[in-house]
Coordinates of all heavy atoms in Angstrom, one line a residue:
M1 N 0.8 -1.2 0.0 CA 0.0 0.0 0.0 C 0.8 1.3 0.1 O 1.9 1.3 0.7 CB -0.9 0.0 1.2 CG -2.2 0.7 1.0 SD -3.3 0.8 2.5 CE -3.2 -0.8 3.2
K2 N 0.5 2.2 -0.7 CA 1.4 3.3 -1.0 C 1.3 4.3 0.2 O 0.2 4.6 0.8 CB 0.7 4.1 -2.2 CG 1.5 5.4 -2.6 CD 2.6 5.0 -3.6 CE 3.3 6.3 -4.1 NZ 4.5 6.0 -4.8
N3 N 2.5 4.8 0.6 CA 2.5 5.8 1.7 C 2.4 7.2 1.2 O 3.1 7.5 0.1 CB 3.9 5.7 2.4 CG 4.1 4.4 3.3 OD1 3.1 3.9 3.8 ND2 5.2 3.9 3.2
I4 N 1.5 7.9 1.6 CA 1.2 9.3 1.1 C 1.3 10.3 2.2 O 0.5 10.1 3.2 CB 0.0 9.5 0.4 CG1 -0.3 8.3 -0.9 CG2 -0.2 10.8 -0.3 CD1 -1.5 8.3 -1.5
R5 N 2.1 11.2 2.1 CA 2.2 12.2 3.1 C 1.7 13.5 2.5 O 2.1 14.1 1.6 CB 3.6 12.5 3.6 CG 3.7 13.7 4.5 CD 5.1 14.0 4.9 NE 5.7 12.9 5.7 CZ 6.3 13.1 6.8 NH1 6.5 14.3 7.3 NH2 6.8 12.1 7.4
V6 N 0.6 14.1 3.2 CA 0.1 15.4 2.7 C 0.5 16.4 3.7 O 0.1 16.3 5.0 CB -1.5 15.3 2.7 CG1 -2.0 16.7 2.1 CG2 -1.9 14.2 1.6
S7 N 1.2 17.5 3.3 CA 1.6 18.5 4.1 C 0.8 19.8 3.8 O 1.1 20.3 2.7 CB 3.1 18.9 4.1 OG 3.8 17.6 4.3
I8 N 0.0 20.3 4.6 CA -0.9 21.4 4.3 C -0.3 22.7 5.1 O -0.1 22.7 6.2 CB -2.3 21.1 4.8 CG1 -2.9 19.7 4.3 CG2 -3.2 22.3 4.6 CD1 -4.1 19.4 5.0
C9 N -0.1 23.6 4.1 CA 0.5 24.9 4.7 C -0.5 25.6 5.5 O -1.6 25.9 5.0 CB 1.0 25.7 3.6 SG 1.8 27.2 4.2
T10 N -0.2 25.8 6.6 CA -1.2 26.7 7.5 C -0.6 28.1 7.8 O -1.2 28.7 8.8 CB -1.5 25.8 8.8 OG1 -0.2 25.6 9.5 CG2 -2.1 24.4 8.5
G11 N 0.3 28.5 7.0 CA 0.7 29.9 7.2 C -0.4 30.9 6.9 O -1.4 30.3 6.3
T12 N -0.3 32.1 7.2 CA -1.3 33.0 7.1 C -1.9 33.1 5.7 O -3.2 33.1 5.5 CB -0.9 34.5 7.5 OG1 -0.3 34.3 8.8 CG2 -2.0 35.4 7.5
A13 N -1.0 33.3 4.6 CA -1.6 33.5 3.3 C -2.3 32.2 2.8 O -3.5 32.3 2.3 CB -0.5 33.7 2.4
C14 N -1.9 31.1 3.2 CA -2.5 29.8 2.8 C -3.8 29.6 3.5 O -4.8 29.2 3.0 CB -1.6 28.6 2.9 SG -0.3 28.7 1.7
F15 N -3.8 30.0 4.8 CA -4.9 29.8 5.7 C -6.1 30.6 5.2 O -7.2 30.1 5.0 CB -4.6 30.0 7.2 CG -5.6 29.5 8.1 CD1 -5.5 28.1 8.5 CD2 -6.6 30.3 8.7 CE1 -6.5 27.6 9.4 CE2 -7.5 29.8 9.5 CZ -7.4 28.5 9.9
V16 N -5.8 31.9 4.9 CA -6.7 32.8 4.4 C -7.4 32.4 3.1 O -8.5 32.5 2.8 CB -6.2 34.2 4.3 CG1 -7.0 35.1 3.6 CG2 -5.8 34.8 5.7
M17 N -6.6 31.8 2.3 CA -7.0 31.3 0.9 C -7.6 29.9 0.9 O -7.9 29.4 -0.1 CB -5.8 31.4 -0.1 CG -5.2 32.7 -0.2 SD -6.3 33.8 -1.1 CE -6.0 33.4 -2.8
G18 N -7.9 29.4 2.1 CA -8.6 28.1 2.0 C -8.0 26.8 2.7 O -8.5 25.8 2.6
A19 N -6.8 27.0 3.2 CA -6.2 25.8 3.8 C -7.0 25.1 4.9 O -7.0 24.0 5.1 CB -4.7 26.1 4.2
S20 N -7.8 26.1 5.6 CA -8.6 25.5 6.7 C -9.5 24.5 6.1 O -9.8 23.5 6.9 CB -9.3 26.7 7.4 OG -10.1 27.4 6.5
E21 N -10.1 24.7 5.0 CA -11.0 23.7 4.4 C -10.2 22.4 4.2 O -10.7 21.3 4.4 CB -11.6 24.2 3.2 CG -12.6 23.3 2.5 CD -12.8 23.4 1.0 OE1 -12.1 24.1 0.4 OE2 -13.7 22.7 0.5
I22 N -9.0 22.6 3.7 CA -8.2 21.3 3.4 C -7.9 20.5 4.5 O -7.6 19.3 4.6 CB -7.0 21.7 2.6 CG1 -7.4 22.5 1.3 CG2 -6.2 20.5 2.1 CD1 -6.3 23.2 0.6
M23 N -7.8 21.2 5.8 CA -7.4 20.6 7.0 C -8.5 19.5 7.3 O -8.4 18.6 8.1 CB -7.3 21.5 8.2 CG -6.1 22.4 8.0 SD -4.5 21.5 8.0 CE -4.4 21.1 9.8
M24 N -9.7 19.6 6.6 CA -10.8 18.6 7.0 C -10.6 17.3 6.2 O -11.5 16.4 6.2 CB -12.1 19.2 6.7 CG -12.4 20.4 7.6 SD -14.0 21.3 7.3 CE -14.5 20.7 5.7
L25 N -9.5 17.2 5.4 CA -9.2 16.1 4.6 C -9.4 14.7 5.2 O -10.1 13.9 4.6 CB -7.7 16.2 4.0 CG -7.2 15.0 3.1 CD1 -8.1 15.0 1.9 CD2 -5.7 15.2 2.8
E26 N -8.9 14.6 6.5 CA -9.0 13.3 7.1 C -10.3 12.8 7.2 O -10.7 11.6 7.0 CB -8.3 13.4 8.5 CG -8.3 12.0 9.2 CD -7.1 11.9 10.1 OE1 -6.6 13.0 10.5 OE2 -6.7 10.8 10.4
D27 N -11.4 13.6 7.4 CA -12.8 13.3 7.6 C -13.5 13.2 6.3 O -14.6 13.1 6.1 CB -13.5 14.2 8.5 CG -12.9 14.1 10.0 OD1 -12.6 13.0 10.3 OD2 -12.9 15.1 10.6
S28 N -12.7 13.6 5.1 CA -13.4 13.7 3.8 C -12.9 12.8 2.8 O -13.3 12.9 1.6 CB -13.2 15.2 3.4 OG -13.5 16.2 4.3
I29 N -12.2 11.7 3.2 CA -11.7 10.8 2.2 C -12.9 10.0 1.8 O -13.6 9.3 2.6 CB -10.7 9.8 2.9 CG1 -9.5 10.6 3.4 CG2 -10.2 8.8 1.9 CD1 -8.6 11.3 2.4
P30 N -13.1 9.8 0.4 CA -14.2 9.2 -0.1 C -14.1 7.7 0.2 O -13.1 7.2 0.3 CB -14.1 9.4 -1.6 CG -13.2 10.6 -1.8 CD -12.3 10.6 -0.6
E31 N -15.3 7.1 0.4 CA -15.4 5.6 0.8 C -14.4 4.8 -0.1 O -13.7 3.9 0.4 CB -16.7 5.1 0.8 CG -17.2 4.5 2.2 CD -18.6 4.3 2.2 OE1 -19.1 3.3 1.6 OE2 -19.4 5.1 2.9
D32 N -14.5 5.1 -1.4 CA -13.8 4.2 -2.3 C -12.3 4.3 -2.2 O -11.5 3.4 -2.7 CB -14.3 4.5 -3.8 CG -13.8 5.8 -4.3 OD1 -14.1 6.8 -3.6 OD2 -13.0 5.8 -5.3
L33 N -11.8 5.3 -1.4 CA -10.3 5.4 -1.4 C -9.9 5.0 0.1 O -8.7 4.7 0.3 CB -9.9 6.9 -1.5 CG -9.8 7.5 -2.9 CD1 -9.4 8.9 -2.9 CD2 -8.9 6.6 -3.7
Q34 N -10.8 4.7 0.9 CA -10.4 4.3 2.3 C -9.7 3.0 2.3 O -10.2 2.1 1.6 CB -11.7 4.4 3.2 CG -12.0 5.9 3.5 CD -13.3 6.0 4.3 OE1 -13.7 5.0 4.9 NE2 -13.9 7.1 4.4
G35 N -8.7 2.9 3.0 CA -7.9 1.6 3.2 C -7.1 1.3 2.0 O -6.6 0.2 1.9
R36 N -6.9 2.2 1.0 CA -6.1 1.8 -0.1 C -4.8 2.6 -0.1 O -3.9 2.6 -1.0 CB -6.8 2.3 -1.4 CG -8.0 1.4 -1.7 CD -9.0 1.9 -2.6 NE -8.4 1.9 -4.0 CZ -9.0 2.4 -5.1 NH1 -10.0 3.1 -5.0 NH2 -8.4 2.3 -6.3
M37 N -4.5 3.3 1.1 CA -3.2 4.1 1.2 C -2.9 4.3 2.6 O -3.9 4.3 3.4 CB -3.3 5.4 0.5 CG -4.4 6.3 1.0 SD -4.8 7.7 -0.1 CE -6.5 8.0 0.4
N38 N -1.6 4.4 2.9 CA -1.3 4.8 4.3 C -1.1 6.3 4.3 O 0.0 6.9 3.8 CB 0.1 4.2 4.7 CG -0.1 2.7 4.9 OD1 -1.1 2.3 5.4 ND2 0.9 2.1 4.5
L39 N -2.1 7.0 4.7 CA -2.2 8.5 4.6 C -1.7 9.2 6.0 O -2.2 8.9 7.0 CB -3.6 8.9 4.2 CG -3.9 10.4 4.0 CD1 -3.1 10.8 2.7 CD2 -5.3 10.5 3.8
E40 N -0.9 10.1 5.7 CA -0.4 10.9 6.8 C -0.7 12.3 6.5 O -0.2 12.8 5.4 CB 1.1 10.6 7.0 CG 1.7 11.2 8.3 CD 3.1 11.0 8.4 OE1 3.7 9.9 8.0 OE2 3.9 11.9 8.9
I41 N -1.4 13.0 7.3 CA -1.8 14.4 7.0 C -1.2 15.3 8.2 O -1.4 15.0 9.3 CB -3.3 14.5 7.1 CG1 -4.0 13.6 6.0 CG2 -3.7 16.0 6.9 CD1 -5.4 13.4 6.2
E42 N -0.5 16.3 7.7 CA 0.0 17.2 8.7 C -0.2 18.6 8.3 O -0.2 18.9 7.1 CB 1.6 16.9 9.0 CG 2.4 17.2 7.6 CD 3.8 16.9 7.8 OE1 4.3 16.5 8.9 OE2 4.5 17.0 6.8
G43 N -0.3 19.6 9.3 CA -0.3 21.1 9.0 C 1.2 21.4 9.2 O 1.8 21.1 10.1
V44 N 1.7 22.3 8.3 CA 3.0 22.7 8.4 C 3.0 24.3 8.4 O 2.1 24.9 7.8 CB 4.0 22.2 7.3 CG1 4.1 20.7 7.4 CG2 3.5 22.5 5.9
S45 N 4.0 24.8 8.9 CA 4.1 26.4 8.9 C 4.6 26.8 7.4 O 4.8 26.0 6.6 CB 5.0 26.8 9.9 OG 6.3 26.2 9.8
C46 N 4.6 28.0 7.2 CA 4.7 28.6 5.9 C 5.8 27.9 5.1 O 7.0 27.7 5.5 CB 5.0 30.2 5.9 SG 5.3 30.9 4.3
L47 N 5.4 27.4 3.9 CA 6.3 26.7 3.0 C 7.3 27.7 2.3 O 8.0 27.3 1.4 CB 5.5 25.8 2.0 CG 4.8 24.7 2.7 CD1 3.8 24.1 1.7 CD2 5.8 23.6 3.2
E48 N 7.0 28.9 2.5 CA 7.8 30.0 1.8 C 7.6 30.0 0.2 O 8.5 30.4 -0.5 CB 9.2 30.0 2.2 CG 9.4 30.1 3.7 CD 10.8 30.3 4.2 OE1 11.7 30.3 3.5 OE2 10.9 30.3 5.5
K49 N 6.3 29.6 -0.1 CA 6.0 29.7 -1.6 C 5.1 30.9 -1.8 O 4.8 31.2 -3.0 CB 5.2 28.4 -2.0 CG 5.9 27.1 -1.7 CD 7.0 26.9 -2.5 CE 7.7 25.6 -2.1 NZ 9.0 25.5 -2.8
C50 N 4.8 31.6 -0.8 CA 3.8 32.7 -0.9 C 4.5 34.1 -1.1 O 4.2 35.0 -0.4 CB 2.9 32.8 0.4 SG 3.8 32.9 1.9
T51 N 5.5 34.1 -2.0 CA 6.1 35.2 -2.2 C 5.2 36.2 -3.1 O 4.2 35.7 -3.5 CB 7.5 35.0 -3.0 OG1 7.0 34.3 -4.1 CG2 8.5 34.3 -2.2
N52 N 5.6 37.4 -3.1 CA 4.6 38.4 -3.7 C 4.0 37.8 -5.1 O 2.7 37.9 -5.1 CB 5.2 39.7 -3.9 CG 5.2 40.5 -2.6 OD1 4.5 40.1 -1.7 ND2 6.1 41.5 -2.6
H53 N 4.6 37.5 -6.0 CA 4.1 37.1 -7.3 C 3.4 35.8 -7.3 O 2.7 35.4 -8.1 CB 5.0 37.2 -8.4 CG 6.0 36.1 -8.4 ND1 7.1 36.1 -7.6 CD2 6.2 35.1 -9.2 CE1 7.8 35.0 -7.9 NE2 7.3 34.4 -8.9
N54 N 3.6 35.0 -6.3 CA 3.0 33.7 -6.1 C 1.8 33.6 -5.2 O 1.2 32.6 -5.1 CB 4.1 32.8 -5.5 CG 4.5 31.8 -6.5 OD1 3.9 31.7 -7.6 ND2 5.5 30.9 -6.1
R55 N 1.6 34.7 -4.4 CA 0.6 34.7 -3.4 C -0.7 34.3 -3.9 O -1.5 33.6 -3.1 CB 0.5 36.1 -2.7 CG -0.2 36.2 -1.6 CD 0.0 37.6 -0.9 NE 1.2 37.7 -0.2 CZ 1.4 37.6 1.1 NH1 0.4 37.3 1.8 NH2 2.6 37.6 1.7
Q56 N -1.1 34.7 -5.1 CA -2.4 34.3 -5.6 C -2.6 32.8 -5.8 O -3.6 32.2 -6.2 CB -2.8 35.1 -6.8 CG -2.2 34.8 -8.1 CD -0.8 35.5 -8.2 OE1 -0.3 36.0 -7.2 NE2 -0.1 35.4 -9.4
K57 N -1.4 32.0 -5.7 CA -1.6 30.6 -5.9 C -1.7 29.9 -4.7 O -1.7 28.6 -4.7 CB -0.3 30.0 -6.7 CG -0.1 30.7 -8.1 CD 1.2 30.2 -8.7 CE 1.5 30.7 -10.2 NZ 2.7 30.5 -10.6
A58 N -1.8 30.5 -3.6 CA -2.1 29.9 -2.3 C -3.5 29.4 -2.4 O -4.4 29.9 -3.1 CB -1.9 30.9 -1.2
P59 N -3.9 28.4 -1.6 CA -3.0 27.6 -0.7 C -2.1 26.6 -1.3 O -2.4 26.1 -2.4 CB -4.1 27.0 0.3 CG -5.3 26.8 -0.5 CD -5.3 27.9 -1.5
F60 N -1.1 26.5 -0.7 CA -0.2 25.4 -1.2 C -0.2 24.0 -0.3 O -0.2 24.2 0.9 CB 1.3 25.9 -1.1 CG 1.5 27.2 -2.0 CD1 1.4 28.4 -1.5 CD2 1.8 26.9 -3.3 CE1 1.6 29.4 -2.4 CE2 1.9 28.1 -4.1 CZ 1.9 29.3 -3.7
V61 N -0.1 22.9 -1.0 CA -0.1 21.7 -0.3 C 1.1 20.9 -0.9 O 1.2 20.9 -2.2 CB -1.5 21.0 -0.5 CG1 -1.4 19.5 0.2 CG2 -2.5 21.7 0.3
L62 N 1.8 20.1 -0.1 CA 2.7 19.2 -0.6 C 2.2 17.8 -0.5 O 1.7 17.4 0.7 CB 4.1 19.2 0.2 CG 5.0 20.4 0.0 CD1 6.1 20.5 0.9 CD2 5.6 20.4 -1.4
I63 N 2.2 17.0 -1.6 CA 1.7 15.7 -1.5 C 3.0 14.8 -2.0 O 3.4 14.9 -3.1 CB 0.6 15.4 -2.5 CG1 -0.6 16.3 -2.0 CG2 0.2 13.9 -2.5 CD1 -1.8 16.2 -3.0
N64 N 3.6 14.1 -1.0 CA 4.8 13.4 -1.3 C 5.8 14.4 -1.9 O 6.4 14.0 -2.9 CB 4.6 12.1 -2.1 CG 3.9 11.0 -1.2 OD1 3.9 11.1 0.0 ND2 3.6 9.9 -1.8
D65 N 5.9 15.5 -1.4 CA 6.9 16.5 -1.9 C 6.6 17.1 -3.2 O 7.4 17.9 -3.8 CB 8.4 15.9 -2.0 CG 8.8 15.5 -0.5 OD1 8.5 16.3 0.4 OD2 9.5 14.6 -0.5
E66 N 5.4 16.8 -3.9 CA 5.0 17.4 -5.1 C 4.1 18.7 -4.6 O 3.2 18.5 -3.9 CB 4.1 16.6 -5.9 CG 4.9 15.5 -6.6 CD 5.0 15.8 -8.1 OE1 4.2 16.6 -8.7 OE2 5.9 15.2 -8.7
L67 N 4.4 19.8 -5.2 CA 3.6 21.0 -4.7 C 2.4 21.1 -5.6 O 2.4 21.1 -6.7 CB 4.6 22.2 -5.0 CG 4.0 23.5 -4.6 CD1 3.9 23.6 -3.0 CD2 4.8 24.8 -5.1
L68 N 1.3 21.4 -4.7 CA 0.0 21.6 -5.4 C -0.3 23.0 -5.1 O -0.3 23.4 -3.9 CB -1.0 20.7 -4.7 CG -2.3 20.5 -5.4 CD1 -2.2 19.8 -6.8 CD2 -3.3 19.6 -4.6
E69 N -0.6 23.8 -6.2 CA -0.9 25.3 -6.0 C -2.4 25.5 -6.1 O -3.1 24.6 -6.7 CB -0.3 26.1 -7.1 CG 1.3 26.0 -7.2 CD 1.8 26.7 -8.4 OE1 1.1 26.9 -9.5 OE2 3.0 26.9 -8.5
N70 N -3.0 26.5 -5.6 CA -4.4 26.8 -5.6 C -5.1 25.5 -5.2 O -6.1 25.0 -5.7 CB -4.9 27.1 -7.0 CG -4.4 28.4 -7.5 OD1 -3.8 28.5 -8.6 ND2 -4.5 29.5 -6.6
A71 N -4.6 24.9 -4.1 CA -5.2 23.7 -3.6 C -6.5 23.7 -3.1 O -6.9 24.8 -2.4 CB -4.2 23.1 -2.6
T72 N -7.3 22.8 -3.3 CA -8.7 22.7 -2.7 C -8.8 21.3 -2.1 O -8.1 20.4 -2.5 CB -9.8 22.9 -3.8 OG1 -9.7 21.8 -4.8 CG2 -9.7 24.2 -4.5
L73 N -9.8 21.2 -1.3 CA -10.0 19.8 -0.7 C -10.3 18.8 -1.9 O -9.7 17.7 -2.0 CB -11.3 19.9 0.3 CG -11.7 18.6 1.0 CD1 -10.5 18.1 1.8 CD2 -12.8 19.0 1.9
A74 N -11.1 19.2 -2.8 CA -11.4 18.3 -3.9 C -10.2 18.0 -4.8 O -9.9 16.9 -5.1 CB -12.6 18.9 -4.8
G75 N -9.3 19.0 -5.0 CA -8.1 18.9 -5.7 C -7.2 17.9 -5.1 O -6.5 17.1 -5.7
V76 N -7.1 18.1 -3.8 CA -6.2 17.0 -3.0 C -6.7 15.6 -3.2 O -5.9 14.7 -3.3 CB -6.0 17.6 -1.6 CG1 -5.3 16.5 -0.7 CG2 -5.4 18.9 -1.5
I77 N -8.0 15.5 -3.0 CA -8.6 14.2 -3.1 C -8.3 13.6 -4.5 O -8.0 12.4 -4.6 CB -10.1 14.1 -2.7 CG1 -10.3 14.5 -1.2 CG2 -10.8 12.9 -3.0 CD1 -11.6 14.8 -0.8
D78 N -8.5 14.4 -5.5 CA -8.2 14.0 -6.9 C -6.8 13.5 -7.0 O -6.5 12.5 -7.6 CB -8.4 15.1 -7.9 CG -9.9 15.4 -8.2 OD1 -10.7 14.5 -7.8 OD2 -10.2 16.4 -8.9
A79 N -5.8 14.3 -6.5 CA -4.5 13.9 -6.5 C -4.1 12.6 -5.8 O -3.4 11.7 -6.3 CB -3.5 15.1 -5.9
L80 N -4.9 12.5 -4.6 CA -4.6 11.1 -3.9 C -5.3 10.0 -4.8 O -4.5 8.9 -4.9 CB -5.4 11.2 -2.6 CG -4.9 12.2 -1.5 CD1 -5.9 12.2 -0.4 CD2 -3.5 11.9 -1.2
R81 N -6.3 10.2 -5.3 CA -6.8 9.1 -6.2 C -5.9 8.8 -7.3 O -5.8 7.6 -7.7 CB -8.3 9.6 -6.7 CG -8.9 8.6 -7.7 CD -10.2 8.9 -8.2 NE -11.2 8.4 -7.0 CZ -11.9 9.2 -6.2 NH1 -12.0 10.4 -6.5 NH2 -12.7 8.6 -5.3
T82 N -5.4 9.8 -7.9 CA -4.4 9.6 -9.0 C -3.2 8.7 -8.6 O -2.8 7.7 -9.2 CB -3.9 10.9 -9.6 OG1 -4.9 11.6 -10.1 CG2 -2.9 10.7 -10.7
I83 N -2.7 9.0 -7.4 CA -1.6 8.3 -6.9 C -1.9 6.8 -6.6 O -1.3 5.9 -6.9 CB -1.0 8.9 -5.6 CG1 -0.4 10.4 -6.0 CG2 0.1 8.1 -4.9 CD1 -0.1 11.2 -4.8
V84 N -3.1 6.6 -5.9 CA -3.5 5.3 -5.6 C -3.8 4.5 -6.8 O -3.4 3.3 -7.0 CB -4.9 5.4 -4.8 CG1 -5.5 4.1 -4.7 CG2 -4.5 6.0 -3.4
E85 N -4.4 5.1 -7.8 CA -4.7 4.4 -9.1 C -3.5 4.0 -9.9 O -3.4 3.0 -10.5 CB -5.8 5.1 -9.9 CG -7.1 4.9 -9.1 CD -8.3 5.7 -9.7 OE1 -8.1 6.4 -10.7 OE2 -9.4 5.5 -9.2
E86 N -2.4 4.8 -9.8 CA -1.2 4.6 -10.6 C -0.5 3.5 -10.0 O 0.2 2.7 -10.6 CB -0.3 5.8 -10.5 CG -0.5 6.7 -11.6 CD 0.2 8.1 -11.4 OE1 1.0 8.3 -10.4 OE2 0.1 9.0 -12.3
E87 N -0.7 3.4 -8.6 CA 0.0 2.2 -7.9 C -0.5 0.9 -8.0 O 0.2 -0.1 -8.0 CB 0.0 2.7 -6.3 CG 0.3 1.6 -5.4 CD 1.9 1.6 -5.1 OE1 2.6 2.4 -5.7 OE2 2.4 0.8 -4.4
E88 N -1.9 0.9 -8.3 CA -2.5 -0.4 -8.3 C -2.4 -1.1 -9.7 O -2.1 -0.5 -10.7 CB -4.0 -0.3 -7.9 CG -4.1 0.1 -6.5 CD -5.5 0.4 -5.9 OE1 -6.3 0.7 -6.7 OE2 -5.7 0.4 -4.8
Ligands
FES101 S1 1.6 30.8 4.0 FE1 1.7 29.1 2.8 S2 3.5 29.1 1.6 FE2 3.6 30.9 3.0

C-alpha cells in the first residue's frame, strides 16, 4: 500500500486562501479510497511559496513532496486518487 504524506501549509496566506477547508481532509476521504493508502496528514508552517508574485497561488499543499498550487479539498482528493490508481 502506498505511503502518502500530505503537508498542508497553515501559514497566514494559505490559511486565508482556504487551507482551513483542506485541513478537513482526514474526515473527507471518499469511501472508495479508504483503506487503499497509508495516509499521513500534517499541518506545516509557511512553506515560503507565498512570495509576492506567487501569493495568488495559495493555498499550497505538498503531496509526497509534489507542490500543489491553488489547492482545494477536492483537488487534494483527486491527487490522492491519481496516486492510488497509478500504484494499483
Ligand atoms: S503561508 Fe503558505 S506558503 Fe507561505
Side-chain angles (χ1 to χ4, degrees):
M1 208 183 317
K2 185 88 174 170
N3 293 324
I4 305 176
R5 174 188 291 233
V6 177
S7 305
I8 302 164
C9 179
T10 59
T12 307
C14 291
F15 197 80
V16 168
M17 295 294 280
S20 55
E21 186 207 3
I22 304 168
M23 291 299 286
M24 296 174 351
L25 178 63
E26 188 151 20
D27 295 326
S28 307
I29 301 296
E31 235 169 74
D32 68 302
L33 285 181
Q34 288 177 14
R36 293 167 70 191
M37 58 192 156
N38 290 322
L39 184 62
E40 191 181 323
I41 301 167
E42 61 179 0
V44 295
S45 55
C46 178
L47 293 167
E48 298 185 8
K49 305 294 180 193
C50 57
T51 52
N52 280 343
H53 73 286
N54 246 357
R55 189 171 283 261
Q56 73 276 11
K57 295 182 184 167
F60 296 96
V61 172
L62 285 173
I63 302 178
N64 283 353
D65 296 328
E66 286 255 342
L67 184 67
L68 195 63
E69 302 173 341
N70 293 127
T72 60
L73 184 56
V76 171
I77 291 169
D78 280 351
L80 295 178
R81 176 168 280 114
T82 300
I83 294 169
V84 166
E85 287 175 357
E86 274 173 0
E87 169 82 358
E88 291 172 347

